[in-house]
Amino acid sequence: MAGETVITVVGNLTADPELRYTQNGLPVANFTIASTPRTFDRQANEWKDGEALFLRASVWREFAEHVAGSLTKGMRVIAQGRLRQRSYQDRDGNNRTAIELEVDEIGPSLRYATAQVTRAASGGGGGGGSFQGGGRPQQQQVSEEPWSTPGSSSADAWSTPGSFGDDTPF
């Protein structure tokens, strides 16, 4: 949507994502990303941590189940989404405002880790996938061609040299 505030945050998860279900059975995962800026102090000749930003984040539907099954406390992630402002009253009747990230995309940072991506068995929606950080391959669904679409065959005009006619294969 036009006018929405889209940001990208790089940080570490402060806890495992918490997966819950609404009364209608809709899955939602909530988690917090801690992002701490670091600067190099030339006088002290050392890195100094700045003040950490703790940003609450949420994902919905099948995406929530993928996140809850893939991410764990301490993982460094890259998340992109839309900032949402929510006003409410606390238990004491005080008015409060919370700013949260509604995540559109999230994945592991590969700066200090490796990841093995596997396609999730899906009932719909686009994309998706899960990963296991730290170089531990996740044993799930493995196919010969991990980026092929379901039902596609590897014997097409592009992959079989010499088996083409005069027609373009698309």
Side-chain angles (χ1 to χ4, degrees), residues 18-129:
E18 182 180 347
L19 181 63
R20 293 186 177 194
Y21 294 87
T22 65
Q23 290 178 344
N24 296 333
L26 193 66
V28 59
N30 295 301
F31 51 94
T32 301
I33 301 171
S35 180
T36 307
R38 297 192 93 200
T39 55
F40 189 74
D41 184 346
R42 290 179 191 242
Q43 292 176 345
N45 200 30
E46 64 184 10
W47 287 95
K48 302 243 177 172
D49 288 339
E51 192 169 333
L53 167 71
F54 293 90
L55 186 60
R56 289 291 297 163
S58 63
V59 292
W60 291 85
R61 297 181 176 71
E62 192 176 16
F63 189 16
E65 293 172 334
H66 295 172
V67 166
S70 302
L71 301 177
T72 57
K73 176 182 178 176
M75 272 188 175
R76 184 175 173 90
V77 296
I78 303 167
Q80 184 177 46
R82 293 162 280 134
L83 283 181
R84 296 281 187 231
Q85 181 173 306
R86 183 171 56 87
S87 297
Y88 63 97
Q89 280 190 344
D90 64 13
R91 293 180 184 158
D92 299 329
N94 299 318
N95 290 329
R96 302 283 184 181
T97 300
I99 296 182
E100 300 170 342
L101 180 65
E102 191 172 308
V103 175
D104 293 322
E105 297 288 338
I106 189 166
S109 168
L110 301 181
R111 180 175 294 243
Y112 306 113
T114 61
Q116 179 65 41
V117 178
T118 56
R119 182 173 289 209
S122 162

